[in-house]
Amino acid sequence: MTSSPDTKQDKSYIDKLALILINSNRQQLVARSYDRTVFYTPGGKREAGESDQEALRRECIEELSVDLLTSTKTPATIQSCGTFEAQAYGKSEGTKVRLTCFRVTPRVAELELERLVKASEEVEELKWIDSSFDREKLTLTGRMILDDLKRKGLID
């Protein structure tokens, strides 16, 4: 079924979920895929029938080798912490990504994850960054998130 021009949206959006993980040194976790030069906030797309939390948990198992709710000794929850939109990295001009971000709470559970995350086979590199990180090595949404975390006093 095709839609008429009147009902078609003006912009294309890629809808993704992301985990903002902050370590004990007040740095944010970012990841880089093979054959890419930029880092992104770990996460991905929902599969059919998944809630945001289910999708984020699955993506973190796939990318970071941890289950956000069962890998920590401290009982954890997943809390929404903002949405960011920008030009999608590597996509045609006008294609936007909408990144809905989440954090693990309480803070003690988030800190436990710091020691547990490791790059899976689909991730070439994980890095902990602060606001001095080279912005050219981040996606546009990554830059927005970094600025937001710095503004909120969550990272150095």
Side-chain angles (χ1 to χ4, degrees):
M1 181 175 173
T2 60
S3 57
S4 69
D6 295 331
T7 60
K8 193 174 182 180
Q9 288 186 341
D10 293 343
K11 300 176 184 176
S12 294
Y13 284 98
I14 300 168
D15 192 23
K16 289 187 164 188
L17 307 166
L19 172 69
I20 295 177
L21 189 64
I22 300 171
N23 71 11
S24 56
N25 293 323
R26 297 170 44 87
Q27 298 169 311
Q28 177 199 358
L29 182 68
V30 292
R32 186 175 57 78
S33 298
Y34 291 92
D35 300 323
R36 297 285 184 163
T37 57
V38 299
F39 288 84
Y40 64 92
T41 308
K45 297 178 185 175
R46 285 173 214 80
E47 291 182 356
E50 283 183 320
S51 69
D52 287 357
Q53 289 192 3
E54 290 167 338
L56 187 62
R57 285 178 71 189
R58 178 187 47 76
E59 287 289 346
C60 288
I61 290 167
E62 291 174 5
E63 294 182 4
L64 307 175
S65 307
V66 294
D67 184 310
L68 299 178
L69 298 182
T70 63
S71 294
T72 60
K73 292 178 184 174
T74 303
T77 60
I78 300 170
Q79 300 285 325
S80 177
C81 66
T83 301
F84 301 86
E85 283 184 15
Q87 170 66 37
Y89 177 78
K91 302 295 182 185
S92 61
E93 186 64 34
T95 301
K96 304 262 184 187
V97 64
R98 178 179 293 137
L99 203 57
T100 304
C101 298
F102 296 86
R103 284 187 69 190
V104 170
T105 60
R107 178 76 171 134
V108 66
E110 181 179 44
L111 292 174
E112 286 178 43
L113 288 171
E114 169 186 359
R115 297 183 305 277
L116 300 173
V117 294
K118 63 181 183 177
S120 71
E121 292 179 9
E122 63 183 58
V123 174
E124 183 168 8
E125 181 181 8
L126 294 178
K127 186 180 269 312
W128 294 100
I129 66 169
D130 62 24
S131 61
S132 67
F133 188 70
D134 182 356
R135 296 169 60 80
E136 295 299 314
K137 293 182 180 178
L138 291 171
T139 62
L140 289 176
T141 51
R143 295 173 195 176
M144 295 167 74
I145 291 166
L146 198 66
D147 290 344
D148 186 61
L149 295 174
K150 175 67 174 174
R151 192 170 37 255
K152 290 177 177 173
L154 296 172
I155 62 168
D156 292 324

